[in-house]
Amino acid sequence: MGHKRRAWGAALAAMALLATSACGGDDGGDGGGSDVEVFTWWASGSEKAGLDALVAVFDEQNPDLKFINGSVAGGAGKDAKNVLASRLQQEDPPDTFQAHAGAELTDYINNGQIQDLTSMYDEEGWNDVFPETLIERLKQDGKIYSVPSNIHRANVVWANNAVLTDAGLDPKAKYASLDEWFAALDKVKAKGKVALSIATDWTQVHLLETVLLADLGEEAYNGLWDGSTDWSGDEVKAALEDYSKLLSYTNEDRQSLDWPDATQMVIDGEAGFNVMGDWAVAAFDENQKTLDTDYVAFPVPGTEGVFDFLADSFTLPVGAPNEDGTKAWLQTVASPEGQEAFNAAKGSIPANTEADTSAFGPYQQTAIEDYASDQIVSSLAHGAAVPISWLTDVTSAVAKFSANGDVDELQGDLADAAEKAAG
Amino acid sequence: MRRSWRTWAPGLILLLPSMVLIGIFVYGLIVANVQTSLTDQHTRVGPGNWAGLENYRTLFGDEDFRYGLRNLLYYTLAFLAGTLLIGFVWAWLLERGLWGEGFFRAVYLFPMAVSFIASGVVWRWLLNSAEGDRATGLNRGFDSLHLGFLSNEWWSNERWGILAIAVPAVWQLAGYVMALFLAGFRGIPEELREAARMDGASEWKLYRHVIFPQLSPVALSAIIIVGHMSLKVFDLIVAIAGDTNYTTKVPAIDLWTEYSRGDYAISSAIGTVLLVIVAVLIVPYLVYTFRQERRR
């Protein structure tokens, strides 16, 4: 009797286990009808505020559609990308997902996971509202696959006026080249301050890309990504020497910090300069610092007149459950109203030149002006210039350089990365 | 041999679910992993074509991967030596009837209750490499104790950086090893010591010939447990140094990097290499314990 009961118990337990493991697969995703699932990594802070503002516009423009928030937090988008990859693989795509505009989309395109939006651009007249040079940067083999929601600029130097004045420098001074900047950095260093603050590996890649841009010029810089500029050449070598020199001005605990720490060093007057994308302006705002009186922001020396862009954008996945809903979302994202609401909250600038930007902050005004007139190039560190896989190799090479300081090895690794990416 | 089904069936039914689940989700996936590692599926979308041992050749031909393996070796040696030495000394002190045993036992054992990720966040700050005015954490402590010469760059050193990661690992696991040794000490009957003393053994000889041999199975278990944890180190490094830092590279970090970029073939090859390394440690131990049990 006892045995029998135990056997039944075991069998029941086994069945229960199998039942629970069988029904784990098919949740979410059933977004037919009026639901529009939007997959992002905007889960907190100003990014969440931006998304909420955008959703408000979407609801107003499309009262019969329902926004479903599919955001995945953590890892600056890395976790979200891993989740997204498995969903796309199981052919369970969201209605639209966030991705950095530009080459980061390459993998999705090659895998046949997102749809060509070129005809939608023609129908909606988006070719006229986004700057031509941006459209040029968005194209892959002549086709466009995503709609940019916002623009950030990467080649910006942030400097603390008090530290500069103390070192005998004029905060309003312009530096035409890196060499002129080195002289200024020397003066800050002589005062016992950190001349140039920097953080962990990706911020070093970020600095490297601006140095490449400064030394090579925009044409040769663009050539790095399509193979027309030789990574093993003397010009790149000279740029890497400059990068190495810049790194000698930086804080030794760089590997322990992330970008807010490095920017905070400038805000707190521990460091003179910091190179960071223009999302840093939010950190200055939070500390009640005023542009031009407390701090200055200018293009990295040698990159005047060039706008090193990165952008978030939205896609139309193959097999999206509610394709009309996706298109409505993309229309909201591209619309002047959507761009205005989103960017005012997130602290970036609208990609759509028709958006009303009169209410934007003083830094953004300068960025908007430059965006309309400058040459636009793609950022390396933020997925616009190269696919993720190539960027991974570049980051490894730069991280290694931070540890051993060997310029030749860095150049060799970067050349290998380019060769590997070319296949 | 006419045993009734009642003797074996309940046991089998009880074990069947776990056998099926482990069969699929552990061994089945190991096979799938090895299969993927033998293809050229360097993207997220498969399947790839047969590529033989190409991925393994790429890995072992890659200087950076070998550097990661070297780091793993250094880390494991430091971790093992540190936990065994400290754990043993603590256990020995407590075993000799130090005052407040219960208190110290709890204090030493407690770090084990903290997850590597949580303690890593604190150690990231403690092991900050800034020196001089901007120093924080341990370097700041050295400075204020006038031991400034001890300040160092910790885990950002290319050659020895990985050893700095072993410091928190030792801190966390030494108490556990202490508990193992303490149990070992307690398991040695008092009569054995008395007999040795009667025979005129000195205190050193008593340890050398009576206590240590009795403790060796405990030491072996400790080596296996700490050793296999060490080979799988990932969370501690990610929390302290991040997943892109060069000086603290180990194969598990490479695996994550390759997986995140979508190179499934290479990442599964790294997974297989790690599995083999752990198996080299574990399998002889399993064989040994199996034989021991059969002998009984």
Side-chain angles (χ1 to χ4, degrees), chain B residues 48-224:
Chain B
N49 301 313
W50 176 259
L53 295 174
E54 186 56 39
N55 295 317
Y56 295 93
R57 268 193 290 273
T58 311
L59 276 182
F60 287 101
D62 180 2
E63 191 193 328
D64 293 342
F65 183 71
R66 293 201 304 265
Y67 176 72
L69 283 175
R70 188 215 72 137
N71 272 348
L72 188 63
L73 179 71
Y74 281 25
Y75 173 80
T76 303
L77 291 179
F79 190 16
L80 277 177
T83 47
L84 288 178
L85 197 71
I86 295 175
F88 179 79
V89 170
W90 284 348
W92 181 69
L93 288 173
L94 290 183
E95 194 263 339
R96 295 183 63 91
L98 209 66
W99 169 85
E101 188 199 315
F103 175 71
F104 283 112
R105 208 171 47 200
V107 166
Y108 291 146
L109 204 51
F110 204 58
M112 206 182 77
V114 184
S115 79
F116 273 134
I117 283 285
S119 72
V121 171
V122 178
W123 282 97
R124 177 187 175 92
W125 177 78
L126 283 173
L127 297 177
N128 186 300
S129 59
E131 294 174 37
D133 295 341
R134 296 194 47 259
T136 57
L138 290 182
N139 282 353
R140 176 73 156 270
F142 287 145
D143 276 349
S144 52
L145 292 170
H146 302 289
L147 295 169
F149 64 92
L150 282 176
S151 292
N152 67 79
E153 52 187 333
W154 298 110
W155 48 266
S156 20
N157 182 292
E158 192 187 9
R159 180 164 301 189
W160 304 114
I162 191 71
L163 297 185
I165 305 290
V167 172
V170 169
W171 171 76
Q172 232 165 322
L173 263 293
Y176 176 65
V177 175
M178 174 205 73
L180 288 179
F181 274 122
L182 206 53
F185 274 121
R186 296 282 145 82
I188 300 171
E190 195 55 36
E191 295 81 37
L192 278 180
R193 297 169 190 243
E194 280 167 9
R197 290 204 183 96
M198 291 289 282
D199 289 344
S202 67
E203 198 69 357
W204 163 246
K205 279 190 171 158
L206 171 70
Y207 273 94
R208 171 70 187 78
H209 296 292
V210 180
I211 310 281
F212 286 168
Q214 295 275 331
L215 285 179
S216 62
V218 176
L220 186 64
S221 305
I223 289 175
I224 300 297

Side-chain angles (χ1 to χ4, degrees), chain A residues 89 201 255-256 389 393, chain B residues 44 64 124 243-245 261:
Chain A
Q89 230 172 328
D201 308 304
Q255 295 297 126
S256 317
S389 189
D393 285 329
Chain B
R44 292 188 196 270
D64 293 342
R124 177 187 175 92
D243 57 358
T244 52
N245 186 54
R261 87 193 317 188

Side-chain angles (χ1 to χ4, degrees), chain A residues 111-166:
Chain A
N111 296 344
Q113 290 164 332
I114 54 177
Q115 299 186 31
D116 176 12
L117 295 175
T118 316
S119 58
M120 193 172 175
Y121 268 71
D122 292 336
E123 285 161 25
E124 303 282 341
W126 289 339
N127 292 317
D128 304 323
V129 299
F130 297 121
E132 206 182 321
T133 47
L134 177 69
I135 297 271
E136 220 33 64
R137 300 278 104 215
L138 292 178
K139 275 185 183 160
Q140 302 232 2
D141 297 328
K143 294 173 188 160
I144 310 180
Y145 290 89
S146 70
V147 178
S149 54
N150 58 315
I151 299 286
H152 277 298
R153 185 179 199 174
N155 59 328
V156 185
V157 180
W158 308 86
N160 182 311
N161 286 7
V163 175
L164 299 195
T165 314
D166 190 42

Side-chain angles (χ1 to χ4, degrees), chain A residues 241-254:
Chain A
E241 298 282 0
D242 279 345
Y243 170 69
S244 170
K245 183 158 186 192
L246 274 180
L247 220 51
S248 72
Y249 291 106
T250 61
N251 41 304
E252 65 233 309
D253 62 340
R254 52 181 176 257

Side-chain angles (χ1 to χ4, degrees), chain A residues 180-232:
Chain A
E180 283 180 30
W181 195 30
F182 288 144
L185 287 163
D186 279 326
K187 286 190 179 167
V188 178
K189 196 178 177 182
K191 281 282 167 186
K193 301 270 185 186
V194 173
L196 178 66
S197 67
I198 200 165
T200 188
D201 308 304
W202 73 261
T203 68
Q204 295 162 26
V205 176
H206 186 118
L207 178 65
L208 174 66
E209 87 178 47
T210 62
V211 174
L212 287 168
L213 184 57
D215 282 358
L216 299 176
E218 60 173 277
E219 205 167 307
Y221 173 84
N222 286 337
L224 289 170
W225 321 128
D226 61 20
S228 57
T229 303
D230 180 14
W231 278 95
S232 322

